[in-house]
Amino acid sequence: MDFEAIMMEGTLILKIRGELDQYNADRFRLRFDMKIVSPEVQKVVIDISELTFMDSSGVGFLVGRFKTARAFAKELVLVCSSSYINRFLSTCGIEKLIKKYTTIDEALS
């Protein structure tokens, strides 16, 4: 897994690529949280459209980042265009907790 962080007018866009499993979730948890709690960040968009695999640890990772953002009064949304990942997230019921969009443009509007 790798990621790219882009800051745009108070919105932090985190693009995640590759596999989001237990190993990678543990490696990147603190790095993501440090970016999310930054004072200039008002909204966080996590783009998981380029994930090739995600397991339950990945879902826990996303929920944890949501909780971090909420604790600092920041909005967090997901962008996902992968039908495989969307089905997995729907099965887990994550849409009840985190808003999900299919494009970054939708998430930013």
Side-chain angles (χ1 to χ4, degrees), residues 40-101:
E40 62 268 7
V41 174
Q42 299 166 359
K43 180 177 182 176
V44 180
V45 177
I46 298 181
D47 183 358
I48 56 174
S49 297
E50 295 184 44
L51 281 185
T52 56
F53 175 80
M54 181 166 58
D55 63 11
S56 60
S57 295
V59 173
F61 176 85
L62 295 175
V63 171
R65 303 313 49 85
F66 171 78
K67 288 180 178 182
T68 298
R70 186 174 60 181
F72 286 84
K74 299 168 191 242
E75 179 184 10
L76 184 140
V77 299
L78 294 177
V79 172
C80 183
S81 58
S82 164
S83 60
Y84 159 73
I85 300 294
N86 272 322
R87 277 193 312 273
F88 182 68
L89 292 175
S90 292
T91 301
C92 297
I94 204 164
E95 290 108 346
K96 295 175 186 173
L97 186 63
I98 305 172
K99 289 182 185 177
K100 190 169 53 123
Y101 299 93

Coordinates of all heavy atoms in Angstrom, one line a residue, residues 40-101:
E40 N -5.0 23.1 9.8 CA -5.5 23.6 8.6 C -6.5 22.7 7.8 O -7.1 23.1 6.9 CB -4.3 24.0 7.6 CG -3.5 22.9 7.2 CD -2.3 22.6 8.0 OE1 -2.1 23.3 9.1 OE2 -1.5 21.8 7.6
V41 N -6.6 21.5 8.3 CA -7.6 20.6 7.7 C -9.0 20.8 8.3 O -9.2 20.7 9.5 CB -7.1 19.1 7.9 CG1 -8.2 18.1 7.4 CG2 -5.8 18.9 7.2
Q42 N -10.0 21.0 7.4 CA -11.4 21.1 7.8 C -12.2 19.9 7.4 O -13.1 19.5 8.0 CB -12.0 22.3 7.2 CG -11.3 23.6 7.7 CD -11.6 24.8 6.8 OE1 -12.4 24.7 5.9 NE2 -11.1 25.9 7.2
K43 N -11.8 19.3 6.2 CA -12.5 18.2 5.7 C -11.5 17.2 5.2 O -10.4 17.5 4.7 CB -13.4 18.6 4.5 CG -14.2 17.5 3.9 CD -15.1 18.0 2.8 CE -15.9 17.0 2.1 NZ -16.9 17.5 1.1
V44 N -11.8 15.9 5.3 CA -10.9 14.8 4.9 C -11.6 13.9 3.8 O -12.8 13.5 4.1 CB -10.4 13.9 6.0 CG1 -9.5 12.8 5.5 CG2 -9.8 14.7 7.1
V45 N -11.0 13.7 2.7 CA -11.6 12.8 1.7 C -10.6 11.7 1.5 O -9.4 11.9 1.2 CB -11.7 13.6 0.3 CG1 -12.2 12.6 -0.8 CG2 -12.7 14.8 0.4
I46 N -11.0 10.5 1.8 CA -10.1 9.3 1.6 C -10.6 8.6 0.3 O -11.7 8.1 0.3 CB -10.2 8.4 2.8 CG1 -9.7 9.1 4.1 CG2 -9.3 7.1 2.5 CD1 -9.7 8.2 5.3
D47 N -9.7 8.6 -0.7 CA -10.0 8.0 -2.0 C -9.4 6.6 -2.0 O -8.2 6.4 -2.0 CB -9.4 8.9 -3.1 CG -9.7 8.4 -4.5 OD1 -10.4 7.3 -4.6 OD2 -9.3 9.0 -5.4
I48 N -10.3 5.7 -2.0 CA -9.9 4.2 -2.0 C -10.2 3.6 -3.3 O -10.3 2.4 -3.4 CB -10.5 3.5 -0.8 CG1 -12.1 3.6 -0.8 CG2 -10.0 3.9 0.5 CD1 -12.8 2.7 0.2
S49 N -10.4 4.4 -4.4 CA -10.8 3.9 -5.7 C -9.7 3.0 -6.3 O -10.0 2.1 -7.1 CB -11.0 5.0 -6.7 OG -12.1 5.8 -6.2
E50 N -8.4 3.2 -5.9 CA -7.3 2.3 -6.4 C -6.9 1.2 -5.5 O -5.8 0.6 -5.7 CB -6.2 3.2 -6.8 CG -6.5 4.2 -7.9 CD -5.3 5.1 -8.3 OE1 -4.2 4.5 -8.5 OE2 -5.5 6.3 -8.5
L51 N -7.7 0.9 -4.5 CA -7.4 -0.3 -3.7 C -7.6 -1.6 -4.5 O -8.6 -1.6 -5.3 CB -8.3 -0.4 -2.5 CG -8.0 0.5 -1.3 CD1 -9.0 0.2 -0.2 CD2 -6.6 0.4 -0.8
T52 N -6.8 -2.5 -4.4 CA -6.9 -3.8 -5.0 C -7.4 -4.9 -4.1 O -7.9 -5.9 -4.5 CB -5.6 -4.3 -5.7 OG1 -4.6 -4.3 -4.6 CG2 -5.1 -3.3 -6.8
F53 N -7.3 -4.6 -2.8 CA -7.8 -5.6 -1.8 C -8.0 -4.8 -0.4 O -7.3 -3.9 -0.1 CB -6.7 -6.7 -1.5 CG -7.0 -7.6 -0.4 CD1 -7.9 -8.7 -0.6 CD2 -6.5 -7.4 0.8 CE1 -8.3 -9.5 0.4 CE2 -6.8 -8.3 1.9 CZ -7.7 -9.3 1.6
M54 N -9.0 -5.3 0.3 CA -9.3 -4.7 1.6 C -9.9 -5.8 2.4 O -10.8 -6.5 2.0 CB -10.2 -3.5 1.6 CG -10.4 -2.9 3.0 SD -11.1 -1.3 3.0 CE -12.6 -1.5 2.2
D55 N -9.5 -6.0 3.7 CA -10.1 -7.0 4.6 C -10.7 -6.2 5.8 O -10.8 -5.0 5.7 CB -9.1 -8.0 5.0 CG -7.9 -7.5 5.8 OD1 -7.9 -6.3 6.2 OD2 -6.9 -8.2 6.1
S56 N -11.1 -6.9 6.8 CA -11.8 -6.3 7.9 C -10.9 -5.3 8.6 O -11.4 -4.3 9.2 CB -12.3 -7.4 8.9 OG -11.3 -8.2 9.4
S57 N -9.6 -5.5 8.6 CA -8.7 -4.6 9.2 C -8.7 -3.3 8.5 O -8.5 -2.2 9.1 CB -7.2 -5.1 9.2 OG -7.1 -6.3 10.0
G58 N -8.9 -3.3 7.2 CA -9.0 -2.1 6.4 C -10.3 -1.3 6.8 O -10.3 -0.1 6.8
V59 N -11.4 -2.1 7.0 CA -12.6 -1.4 7.4 C -12.4 -0.7 8.8 O -12.8 0.4 9.0 CB -13.8 -2.4 7.5 CG1 -15.0 -1.7 8.1 CG2 -14.1 -2.9 6.1
G60 N -11.7 -1.5 9.7 CA -11.4 -0.9 11.0 C -10.5 0.3 10.9 O -10.7 1.3 11.6
F61 N -9.6 0.3 9.9 CA -8.7 1.5 9.7 C -9.6 2.7 9.3 O -9.4 3.8 9.8 CB -7.7 1.1 8.6 CG -6.8 2.2 8.2 CD1 -5.7 2.5 8.8 CD2 -7.1 3.0 7.0 CE1 -4.9 3.6 8.5 CE2 -6.3 4.0 6.6 CZ -5.2 4.3 7.3
L62 N -10.5 2.5 8.4 CA -11.3 3.6 7.9 C -12.2 4.1 9.0 O -12.4 5.3 9.2 CB -12.2 3.1 6.7 CG -11.4 2.8 5.4 CD1 -12.4 2.2 4.4 CD2 -10.7 4.0 4.9
V63 N -12.8 3.2 9.8 CA -13.7 3.7 10.9 C -12.8 4.4 12.0 O -13.2 5.4 12.5 CB -14.4 2.4 11.6 CG1 -15.1 2.8 12.9 CG2 -15.4 1.9 10.6
G64 N -11.6 4.0 12.2 CA -10.7 4.6 13.1 C -10.4 6.0 12.7 O -10.3 7.0 13.5
R65 N -10.1 6.2 11.4 CA -9.8 7.6 10.8 C -11.1 8.4 10.9 O -11.0 9.6 11.2 CB -9.4 7.5 9.4 CG -8.1 6.6 9.1 CD -6.9 6.7 9.9 NE -6.9 6.6 11.3 CZ -6.9 5.5 12.0 NH1 -6.9 4.3 11.5 NH2 -6.9 5.5 13.4
F66 N -12.2 7.9 10.7 CA -13.5 8.6 10.9 C -13.6 9.1 12.3 O -14.0 10.3 12.6 CB -14.7 7.7 10.5 CG -16.0 8.3 10.9 CD1 -16.6 9.3 10.0 CD2 -16.7 7.9 12.0 CE1 -17.8 9.9 10.3 CE2 -17.9 8.5 12.3 CZ -18.5 9.5 11.5
K67 N -13.3 8.2 13.3 CA -13.4 8.6 14.7 C -12.4 9.7 15.0 O -12.7 10.6 15.8 CB -13.3 7.4 15.6 CG -14.4 6.5 15.6 CD -14.2 5.3 16.5 CE -15.4 4.3 16.5 NZ -15.2 3.2 17.4
T68 N -11.2 9.6 14.5 CA -10.2 10.6 14.7 C -10.7 12.0 14.2 O -10.6 13.0 14.9 CB -8.9 10.3 14.1 OG1 -8.4 9.1 14.7 CG2 -7.8 11.4 14.2
A69 N -11.2 12.0 13.0 CA -11.7 13.2 12.3 C -12.8 13.8 13.2 O -12.9 15.0 13.4 CB -12.1 12.9 10.9
R70 N -13.8 13.0 13.6 CA -14.9 13.4 14.3 C -14.5 14.0 15.7 O -15.0 15.0 16.1 CB -15.9 12.3 14.5 CG -17.2 12.7 15.2 CD -18.2 11.7 15.3 NE -17.7 10.5 16.1 CZ -18.3 9.4 16.3 NH1 -19.5 9.3 15.8 NH2 -17.8 8.5 17.0
A71 N -13.5 13.4 16.3 CA -13.0 13.9 17.6 C -12.4 15.3 17.5 O -12.4 16.0 18.5 CB -11.9 12.9 18.2
F72 N -12.0 15.7 16.3 CA -11.4 17.0 16.1 C -12.3 17.9 15.2 O -11.9 18.8 14.6 CB -10.0 16.9 15.4 CG -8.9 16.4 16.3 CD1 -8.8 15.0 16.6 CD2 -8.1 17.3 17.0 CE1 -7.8 14.6 17.5 CE2 -7.2 16.9 17.9 CZ -7.0 15.5 18.1
A73 N -13.6 17.5 15.2 CA -14.7 18.3 14.6 C -14.4 18.5 13.1 O -14.6 19.5 12.5 CB -14.9 19.6 15.3
K74 N -14.0 17.4 12.4 CA -13.7 17.5 11.0 C -14.6 16.4 10.3 O -14.9 15.4 10.8 CB -12.2 17.2 10.7 CG -11.3 18.2 11.4 CD -9.9 17.8 11.4 CE -9.1 18.7 12.3 NZ -8.1 19.4 11.6
E75 N -15.0 16.8 9.1 CA -15.8 15.9 8.3 C -14.9 14.9 7.5 O -13.8 15.3 7.0 CB -16.6 16.7 7.3 CG -17.5 15.8 6.4 CD -18.2 16.6 5.3 OE1 -17.9 17.8 5.1 OE2 -19.1 16.0 4.6
L76 N -15.3 13.6 7.4 CA -14.5 12.7 6.7 C -15.5 11.9 5.8 O -16.6 11.5 6.2 CB -13.8 11.7 7.6 CG -12.9 10.6 6.9 CD1 -11.7 10.4 7.7 CD2 -13.7 9.3 6.6
V77 N -15.1 11.8 4.5 CA -15.9 11.1 3.5 C -15.0 10.2 2.7 O -13.8 10.3 2.7 CB -16.7 12.0 2.6 CG1 -17.6 12.9 3.3 CG2 -15.7 12.9 1.7
L78 N -15.6 9.2 2.1 CA -14.9 8.2 1.2 C -15.2 8.4 -0.2 O -16.3 8.8 -0.6 CB -15.3 6.8 1.6 CG -14.9 6.3 3.0 CD1 -15.5 4.8 3.1 CD2 -13.4 6.3 3.2
V79 N -14.3 8.1 -1.1 CA -14.5 8.1 -2.5 C -14.1 6.6 -2.9 O -13.0 6.2 -2.6 CB -13.6 9.1 -3.3 CG1 -13.7 8.9 -4.8 CG2 -14.0 10.5 -2.9
C80 N -15.0 6.0 -3.6 CA -14.7 4.6 -4.0 C -15.5 4.3 -5.3 O -16.7 4.4 -5.4 CB -15.1 3.6 -3.0 SG -14.7 1.9 -3.4
S81 N -14.8 3.9 -6.4 CA -15.4 3.6 -7.6 C -15.3 2.1 -8.0 O -15.8 1.6 -8.9 CB -14.8 4.4 -8.8 OG -13.4 4.2 -8.9
S82 N -14.6 1.4 -7.1 CA -14.4 -0.1 -7.3 C -15.6 -0.8 -6.9 O -16.1 -0.7 -5.7 CB -13.2 -0.5 -6.5 OG -13.2 -1.9 -6.4
S83 N -16.2 -1.6 -7.8 CA -17.4 -2.4 -7.5 C -17.1 -3.4 -6.4 O -17.9 -3.7 -5.5 CB -18.0 -3.0 -8.7 OG -17.1 -3.9 -9.3
Y84 N -15.9 -4.0 -6.4 CA -15.5 -5.0 -5.4 C -15.5 -4.4 -4.0 O -16.1 -4.9 -3.1 CB -14.2 -5.7 -5.8 CG -13.5 -6.3 -4.6 CD1 -13.9 -7.5 -4.1 CD2 -12.4 -5.7 -4.0 CE1 -13.3 -8.1 -3.0 CE2 -11.7 -6.3 -2.9 CZ -12.2 -7.5 -2.4 OH -11.6 -8.0 -1.3
I85 N -14.8 -3.3 -3.9 CA -14.6 -2.6 -2.6 C -16.0 -2.1 -2.1 O -16.3 -2.2 -1.0 CB -13.6 -1.5 -2.7 CG1 -12.2 -2.1 -3.0 CG2 -13.5 -0.8 -1.3 CD1 -11.6 -3.0 -2.0
N86 N -16.8 -1.5 -3.1 CA -18.1 -1.0 -2.7 C -19.0 -2.1 -2.2 O -19.7 -1.9 -1.2 CB -18.8 -0.4 -3.9 CG -18.4 1.1 -4.0 OD1 -18.3 1.8 -3.1 ND2 -18.3 1.6 -5.3
R87 N -19.0 -3.3 -2.8 CA -19.8 -4.4 -2.3 C -19.3 -4.8 -0.9 O -20.1 -5.1 0.0 CB -19.7 -5.6 -3.2 CG -20.6 -5.6 -4.4 CD -20.7 -6.9 -5.1 NE -19.5 -7.5 -5.4 CZ -18.7 -7.3 -6.5 NH1 -19.2 -6.5 -7.4 NH2 -17.6 -7.9 -6.7
F88 N -18.0 -4.9 -0.7 CA -17.5 -5.2 0.6 C -17.9 -4.2 1.7 O -18.3 -4.6 2.8 CB -15.9 -5.3 0.5 CG -15.3 -5.7 1.8 CD1 -15.4 -7.0 2.3 CD2 -14.5 -4.9 2.5 CE1 -14.8 -7.4 3.5 CE2 -13.9 -5.2 3.7 CZ -14.0 -6.5 4.2
L89 N -17.8 -2.9 1.4 CA -18.2 -1.9 2.3 C -19.7 -1.9 2.6 O -20.1 -1.7 3.8 CB -17.7 -0.5 1.8 CG -16.2 -0.3 1.8 CD1 -16.0 1.1 1.1 CD2 -15.6 -0.4 3.1
S90 N -20.5 -2.2 1.6 CA -21.9 -2.3 1.8 C -22.3 -3.4 2.7 O -23.1 -3.3 3.6 CB -22.6 -2.5 0.5 OG -22.5 -1.3 -0.3
T91 N -21.6 -4.6 2.5 CA -21.8 -5.7 3.4 C -21.5 -5.4 4.8 O -22.2 -5.8 5.8 CB -20.9 -6.9 2.9 OG1 -21.3 -7.2 1.6 CG2 -21.2 -8.1 3.8
C92 N -20.4 -4.6 5.0 CA -20.0 -4.2 6.4 C -20.9 -3.1 7.0 O -20.8 -2.8 8.2 CB -18.6 -3.7 6.4 SG -17.4 -5.0 5.9
G93 N -21.7 -2.4 6.2 CA -22.6 -1.4 6.6 C -21.9 -0.1 6.9 O -22.4 0.8 7.7
I94 N -20.8 0.2 6.3 CA -20.0 1.4 6.6 C -20.7 2.7 6.1 O -20.5 3.7 6.6 CB -18.6 1.3 6.0 CG1 -17.6 2.2 6.7 CG2 -18.6 1.6 4.5 CD1 -16.2 2.0 6.5
E95 N -21.6 2.5 5.1 CA -22.4 3.7 4.6 C -23.3 4.3 5.7 O -23.6 5.5 5.6 CB -23.2 3.4 3.4 CG -22.4 3.1 2.2 CD -22.5 1.6 1.8 OE1 -22.9 0.8 2.7 OE2 -22.0 1.3 0.7
K96 N -23.6 3.6 6.7 CA -24.4 4.1 7.8 C -23.6 5.1 8.7 O -24.1 5.9 9.4 CB -24.9 3.0 8.7 CG -25.9 2.0 8.0 CD -26.3 0.9 8.9 CE -27.1 -0.1 8.1 NZ -27.4 -1.3 8.9
L97 N -22.3 5.0 8.6 CA -21.4 5.8 9.4 C -20.6 6.9 8.6 O -20.5 8.0 9.0 CB -20.3 4.9 10.0 CG -19.3 5.5 11.0 CD1 -20.1 6.0 12.2 CD2 -18.3 4.4 11.5
I98 N -20.2 6.5 7.4 CA -19.3 7.4 6.6 C -20.0 7.6 5.2 O -20.3 6.6 4.6 CB -17.9 6.8 6.4 CG1 -17.3 6.5 7.7 CG2 -17.0 7.8 5.6 CD1 -16.0 5.7 7.6
K99 N -20.1 8.9 4.8 CA -20.7 9.2 3.5 C -19.7 8.7 2.4 O -18.5 8.8 2.6 CB -20.9 10.7 3.3 CG -22.0 11.2 4.1 CD -22.2 12.7 3.8 CE -23.2 13.3 4.7 NZ -23.4 14.8 4.5
K100 N -20.2 8.1 1.4 CA -19.4 7.6 0.3 C -19.8 8.2 -1.0 O -21.0 8.3 -1.3 CB -19.6 6.1 0.3 CG -18.6 5.3 -0.6 CD -18.6 3.8 -0.3 CE -20.0 3.3 -0.4 NZ -20.2 2.3 -1.4
Y101 N -18.8 8.5 -1.9 CA -19.1 9.1 -3.2 C -18.3 8.3 -4.2 O -17.4 7.5 -3.9 CB -18.6 10.6 -3.2 CG -19.3 11.5 -2.3 CD1 -18.8 11.7 -1.0 CD2 -20.5 12.1 -2.6 CE1 -19.5 12.5 -0.1 CE2 -21.2 12.9 -1.7 CZ -20.7 13.1 -0.4 OH -21.3 13.9 0.4

